[in-house]
Protein backbone atom coordinates (compact mmCIF):
# COMPACT_ATOMS: atom_id res chain seq x y z
CA UNK A 1 0.00 0.00 0.00
CA UNK A 2 1.50 3.37 -1.00
CA UNK A 3 2.34 5.63 1.91
CA UNK A 4 2.05 9.39 2.12
CA UNK A 5 5.75 9.70 1.33
CA UNK A 6 5.46 7.27 -1.63
CA UNK A 7 2.71 9.40 -3.20
CA UNK A 8 4.74 12.56 -2.72
CA UNK A 9 7.74 10.91 -4.38
CA UNK A 10 5.65 9.65 -7.33
CA UNK A 11 4.18 13.12 -7.88
CA UNK A 12 7.49 14.87 -7.32
CA UNK A 13 6.07 16.91 -4.45
CA UNK A 14 7.40 17.88 -1.05
CA UNK A 15 5.44 15.72 1.41
CA UNK A 16 5.19 18.30 4.17
CA UNK A 17 5.19 21.60 2.29
CA UNK A 18 2.17 23.58 3.59
CA UNK A 19 2.07 25.65 0.38
CA UNK A 20 1.26 22.55 -1.69
CA UNK A 21 -2.29 21.18 -1.49
CA UNK A 22 -1.69 18.14 -3.72
CA UNK A 23 -3.07 15.79 -1.06
CA UNK A 24 -6.46 17.50 -1.46
CA UNK A 25 -6.44 16.77 -5.20
CA UNK A 26 -5.32 13.16 -4.77
CA UNK A 27 -8.00 12.43 -2.18
CA UNK A 28 -10.69 13.98 -4.39
CA UNK A 29 -9.44 12.00 -7.40
CA UNK A 30 -9.76 8.77 -5.42
CA UNK A 31 -13.25 9.74 -4.24
CA UNK A 32 -14.34 10.57 -7.79
CA UNK A 33 -13.05 7.22 -9.05
CA UNK A 34 -14.30 4.93 -6.29
CA UNK A 35 -17.36 6.60 -4.73
CA UNK A 36 -19.08 8.34 -7.65
CA UNK A 37 -20.29 6.21 -10.55
CA UNK A 38 -21.61 7.44 -13.89
CA UNK A 39 -25.35 6.82 -14.43
CA UNK A 40 -25.77 6.26 -10.71
CA UNK A 41 -24.76 9.35 -8.75
CA UNK A 42 -24.43 11.52 -11.87
CA UNK A 43 -24.80 11.58 -15.64
CA UNK A 44 -22.80 13.29 -18.37
CA UNK A 45 -24.78 15.28 -20.95
CA UNK A 46 -23.65 17.95 -23.41
CA UNK A 47 -20.19 17.99 -21.86
CA UNK A 48 -21.56 18.67 -18.36
CA UNK A 49 -21.71 16.55 -15.21
CA UNK A 50 -25.20 16.65 -13.68
CA UNK A 51 -26.13 15.24 -10.27
CA UNK A 52 -28.89 12.62 -10.13
CA UNK A 53 -31.28 12.63 -7.17
CA UNK A 54 -30.86 9.25 -5.46
CA UNK A 55 -34.54 9.16 -4.45
CA UNK A 56 -36.33 10.37 -7.58
CA UNK A 57 -33.80 9.55 -10.30
CA UNK A 58 -34.17 13.05 -11.72
CA UNK A 59 -31.46 15.60 -12.49
CA UNK A 60 -30.89 18.18 -9.75
CA UNK A 61 -30.79 21.28 -11.93
CA UNK A 62 -28.37 23.96 -10.76
CA UNK A 63 -26.77 21.67 -8.15
CA UNK A 64 -23.05 20.89 -8.10
CA UNK A 65 -20.79 18.82 -5.89
CA UNK A 66 -18.72 20.84 -3.47
CA UNK A 67 -15.19 20.69 -2.03
CA UNK A 68 -13.60 19.99 -5.43
CA UNK A 69 -15.55 16.78 -6.09
CA UNK A 70 -17.34 18.34 -9.08
CA UNK A 71 -14.02 19.22 -10.71
CA UNK A 72 -12.54 15.79 -9.97
CA UNK A 73 -15.49 14.03 -11.61
CA UNK A 74 -15.27 16.35 -14.62
CA UNK A 75 -11.58 15.50 -14.99
CA UNK A 76 -12.39 11.79 -14.64
CA UNK A 77 -15.02 11.99 -17.41
CA UNK A 78 -12.81 14.03 -19.73
CA UNK A 79 -15.09 17.07 -19.93
CA UNK A 80 -14.18 20.72 -19.41
CA UNK A 81 -13.28 21.33 -15.77
CA UNK A 82 -15.33 24.16 -14.28
CA UNK A 83 -14.23 26.58 -11.61
CA UNK A 84 -14.90 25.91 -7.96
CA UNK A 85 -17.79 27.75 -6.36
CA UNK A 86 -17.13 29.76 -3.22
CA UNK A 87 -19.45 29.47 -0.26
CA UNK A 88 -20.22 32.94 1.07
CA UNK A 89 -22.63 31.94 3.83
CA UNK A 90 -24.66 28.96 4.98
CA UNK A 91 -27.74 28.34 7.09
CA UNK A 92 -29.44 25.17 8.30
CA UNK A 93 -33.02 24.38 7.29
CA UNK A 94 -34.08 24.64 10.92
CA UNK A 95 -32.62 28.13 11.32
CA UNK A 96 -34.06 29.27 7.99
CA UNK A 97 -37.58 28.08 8.80
CA UNK A 98 -37.47 29.77 12.21
CA UNK A 99 -37.15 33.13 10.44
CA UNK A 100 -40.77 32.86 9.30
CA UNK A 101 -43.44 34.09 11.76
CA UNK A 102 -45.78 31.19 10.92
CA UNK A 103 -45.11 27.65 9.84
CA UNK A 104 -47.55 25.08 8.46
CA UNK A 105 -47.55 22.34 5.89
CA UNK A 106 -49.09 19.13 4.62
CA UNK A 107 -47.31 15.95 3.62
CA UNK A 108 -47.84 12.22 3.63
CA UNK A 109 -44.60 11.47 5.50
CA UNK A 110 -44.57 13.88 8.46
CA UNK A 111 -46.17 11.64 11.08
CA UNK A 112 -43.09 9.42 11.40
CA UNK A 113 -41.06 12.54 12.31
CA UNK A 114 -43.68 14.10 14.58
CA UNK A 115 -41.26 14.36 17.53
CA UNK A 116 -38.69 16.22 15.44
CA UNK A 117 -41.30 18.73 14.24
CA UNK A 118 -42.34 19.31 17.85
CA UNK A 119 -38.79 19.60 19.21
CA UNK A 120 -37.36 21.85 16.48
CA UNK A 121 -40.33 23.96 15.42
CA UNK A 122 -42.93 23.56 18.15
CA UNK A 123 -45.33 22.19 15.56
CA UNK A 124 -47.81 19.42 16.30
CA UNK A 125 -48.41 16.87 13.55
CA UNK A 126 -52.08 15.99 13.07
CA UNK A 127 -52.93 12.86 11.03
CA UNK A 128 -55.98 13.21 8.77
CA UNK A 129 -58.10 10.04 8.48
CA UNK A 130 -58.70 8.68 5.00
CA UNK A 131 -62.13 9.22 3.44
CA UNK A 132 -62.36 5.51 2.61
CA UNK A 133 -60.90 2.44 4.31
CA UNK A 134 -57.28 1.84 3.34
CA UNK A 135 -57.21 -0.66 0.49
CA UNK A 136 -53.44 -1.06 0.45
CA UNK A 137 -52.05 -4.41 1.52
CA UNK A 138 -48.77 -4.36 3.41
CA UNK A 139 -46.74 -7.55 2.97
CA UNK A 140 -43.68 -8.60 4.98
CA UNK A 141 -40.29 -7.51 3.66
CA UNK A 142 -38.52 -10.01 1.41
CA UNK A 143 -34.73 -10.32 1.85
CA UNK A 144 -32.45 -11.88 -0.77
CA UNK A 145 -28.82 -12.97 -0.62
CA UNK A 146 -27.90 -11.43 -3.96
CA UNK A 147 -29.07 -8.55 -6.16
CA UNK A 148 -29.64 -11.01 -9.00
CA UNK A 149 -32.01 -13.08 -6.85
CA UNK A 150 -33.92 -9.95 -5.87
CA UNK A 151 -34.28 -8.82 -9.49
CA UNK A 152 -35.44 -12.27 -10.60
CA UNK A 153 -38.11 -12.33 -7.89
CA UNK A 154 -39.22 -8.83 -8.89
CA UNK A 155 -39.48 -9.84 -12.56
CA UNK A 156 -41.64 -12.82 -11.64
CA UNK A 157 -43.97 -10.60 -9.60
CA UNK A 158 -44.17 -8.04 -12.42
CA UNK A 159 -45.00 -10.80 -14.89
CA UNK A 160 -47.74 -12.13 -12.59
CA UNK A 161 -49.34 -8.69 -12.18
CA UNK A 162 -48.89 -7.85 -15.87
CA UNK A 163 -50.93 -10.90 -16.90
CA UNK A 164 -53.91 -9.46 -15.01
CA UNK A 165 -53.68 -6.23 -17.03
CA UNK A 166 -52.47 -4.16 -14.10
CA UNK A 167 -50.06 -1.27 -14.85
CA UNK A 168 -46.92 -1.35 -12.72
CA UNK A 169 -44.55 1.43 -11.62
CA UNK A 170 -41.06 0.33 -10.55
CA UNK A 171 -38.82 2.77 -8.68
CA UNK A 172 -35.03 2.52 -8.75
CA UNK A 173 -32.19 4.50 -7.19
CA UNK A 174 -30.03 4.84 -10.32
CA UNK A 175 -30.24 5.45 -14.05
CA UNK A 176 -28.18 2.35 -14.72
CA UNK A 177 -30.48 0.05 -12.73
CA UNK A 178 -33.64 1.44 -14.35
CA UNK A 179 -32.26 0.62 -17.80
CA UNK A 180 -31.17 -2.87 -16.76
CA UNK A 181 -34.66 -3.62 -15.44
CA UNK A 182 -36.25 -2.27 -18.62
CA UNK A 183 -34.00 -4.46 -20.77
CA UNK A 184 -34.88 -7.52 -18.66
CA UNK A 185 -38.62 -6.79 -18.94
CA UNK A 186 -38.45 -6.27 -22.71
CA UNK A 187 -36.47 -9.51 -23.06
CA UNK A 188 -39.23 -11.35 -21.18
CA UNK A 189 -41.85 -9.93 -23.55
CA UNK A 190 -43.20 -7.10 -21.39
CA UNK A 191 -43.41 -3.64 -22.99
CA UNK A 192 -41.64 -1.35 -20.53
CA UNK A 193 -40.99 2.39 -20.72
CA UNK A 194 -38.19 3.96 -18.70
CA UNK A 195 -38.28 7.44 -17.17
CA UNK A 196 -35.00 8.53 -15.66
CA UNK A 197 -32.57 11.43 -15.58
CA UNK A 198 -31.44 11.07 -19.18
CA UNK A 199 -32.49 13.99 -21.41
CA UNK A 200 -34.41 11.75 -23.85
CA UNK A 201 -36.72 10.69 -21.00
CA UNK A 202 -37.92 14.21 -20.24
CA UNK A 203 -40.33 14.40 -23.19
CA UNK A 204 -41.95 11.05 -22.31
CA UNK A 205 -42.34 12.05 -18.67
CA UNK A 206 -44.10 15.28 -19.69
CA UNK A 207 -46.74 13.41 -21.69
Amino acid sequence: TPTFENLADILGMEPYDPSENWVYFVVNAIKAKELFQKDQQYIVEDGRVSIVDSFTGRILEGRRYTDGIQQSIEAKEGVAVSGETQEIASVTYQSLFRLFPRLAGMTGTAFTDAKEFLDFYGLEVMPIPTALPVARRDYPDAVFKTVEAKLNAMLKEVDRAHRTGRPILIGTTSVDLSEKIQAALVESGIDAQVLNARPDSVEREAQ
Side-chain angles (χ1 to χ4, degrees):
T1 303
T3 65
F4 183 78
E5 288 78 10
N6 293 146
L7 289 174
D9 185 55
I10 292 171
L11 296 172
M13 299 290 186
E14 289 294 330
Y16 301 107
D17 185 353
S19 65
E20 297 285 352
N21 60 348
W22 61 269
V23 176
Y24 167 80
F25 295 114
V26 171
V27 170
N28 277 351
I30 295 173
K31 287 181 180 179
K33 178 178 181 296
E34 300 297 335
L35 302 181
F36 296 85
Q37 303 302 320
K38 183 179 177 181
D39 292 339
Q40 294 185 25
Q41 285 81 22
Y42 66 91
I43 65 170
V44 178
E45 58 168 343
D46 300 329
R48 296 185 302 111
V49 171
S50 300
I51 301 175
V52 175
D53 190 313
S54 60
F55 294 100
T56 66
R58 293 180 174 84
I59 296 175
L60 295 175
E61 295 290 350
R63 296 281 297 277
R64 290 159 48 89
Y65 292 111
T66 59
D67 301 324
I69 295 297
Q70 180 79 21
Q71 289 70 32
S72 297
I73 294 175
E74 289 169 343
K76 165 190 168 183
E77 296 296 340
V79 302
V81 177
S82 60
E84 285 195 54
T85 55
Q86 183 177 3
E87 185 177 290
I88 304 299
S90 64
V91 62
T92 63
Y93 282 117
Q94 290 87 347
S95 298
L96 175 65
F97 293 152
R98 287 197 187 104
L99 298 176
F100 294 88
R102 295 183 182 180
L103 290 175
M106 180 179 292
T107 175
T109 58
F111 196 68
T112 55
D113 297 310
K115 187 177 185 301
E116 181 179 345
F117 279 102
L118 185 62
D119 292 344
F120 282 101
Y121 309 112
L123 295 176
E124 185 178 357
V125 177
M126 301 289 293
I128 301 175
T130 57
L132 299 173
V134 178
R136 184 188 68 235
R137 297 179 182 178
D138 293 325
Y139 295 101
D141 292 337
V143 181
F144 301 89
K145 288 185 178 181
T146 65
V147 174
E148 183 180 1
K150 180 175 68 172
L151 291 178
N152 287 336
M154 183 205 68
L155 292 173
K156 289 180 181 178
E157 178 62 21
V158 170
D159 182 64
R160 183 195 65 78
H162 179 70
R163 291 176 186 275
T164 67
R166 177 183 299 174
I168 304 162
L169 177 65
I170 303 171
T172 68
T173 57
S174 74
V175 173
D176 184 53
L177 182 57
S178 69
E179 293 175 346
K180 285 182 178 179
I181 291 175
Q182 183 205 25
L185 290 171
V186 171
E187 186 177 347
S188 63
I190 298 176
D191 183 24
Q193 300 294 324
V194 63
L195 298 175
N196 55 31
R198 292 197 187 281
D200 54 359
S201 295
V202 175
E203 183 178 347
R204 290 199 303 272
E205 187 172 10
Q207 293 176 353

